[in-house]
Amino acid sequence: MGLMDGKRGVIFGVANEKSIAWGVAQQLRSAGAELAFTFLNEALEKRVRPLAESLESKIILPCDVAVDDDIASVFKELERQWGTIDFVVHAVAFARREDLKNPFSQTSREGFALAMDVSAYSLVAMARFAIPLMPEGGSIVSMSYLGAVMAVPGYNVMGVAKAALESSVRYLAAELGKQNIRVNAVSAGPIKTLAASGIGNFNDKLHVMEERSPLGRTVTQEEVGKATLYLLSDLASGVTGEVHYVDSGFNISAG
């Protein structure tokens, strides 16, 4: 018997085989979960569809998380095919490259709003549409990073968006607890992903983490996947409103 046997859920945020969301998907499928996936556009569909099909997924849907109608369409299709769901994985974030490379004080108003919309508000929107499909309860997990609680050089507006994301996790958890819907986040150390390529001096951050991490190395996709699997499973039935740190360096002095 797998830990997630009989459970169904949707994963937002797989871009390629290096995505954190892909590491999560692999762990969930290995534990017995049935998965649905989304993709942003045709270019990403060419990457996402083969990955999803390799995990026997039959639901692979387009979705721009900045568009409410797109999110609504995903959950409407999940309801049509499955009736109910057990979990949602929110692993999406975006900020304009110039707003990551320029000094934070030079962040554009439009760039700030875009980062907040895609990286934080999308979790709220997903939760709103997921609630009716979780009549017996469920679990929602998002992906954060150390830049939400510390000023990380080069992370800039994304750090502010992740702070809003973590706050949203707590407010959603407080609201949805009586419906037995748990909401948590995983904050992992730096991992080489498509999104990370837009962060300045990212390789330097990897080296610093290797030097200062208690484990003496950076965290892996598989390890983030395992932590997320725990939070989505019944093993974490009493855990909500938490940010789960996976060797993020949170307790490591920056000095």
Side-chain angles (χ1 to χ4, degrees), residues 66 93-120 155-162:
F94 180 79
R96 291 176 179 171
R97 187 175 294 270
E98 59 267 30
D99 289 321
L100 293 173
K101 292 190 175 298
N102 292 336
F104 177 63
S105 63
Q106 303 306 307
T107 305
S108 66
R109 184 179 299 274
E110 296 78 13
F112 190 98
L114 179 62
M116 283 288 188
D117 188 11
V118 175
S119 309
Y155 206 57
N156 295 352
V157 69
M158 185 57 72
V160 178
K162 290 295 188 183

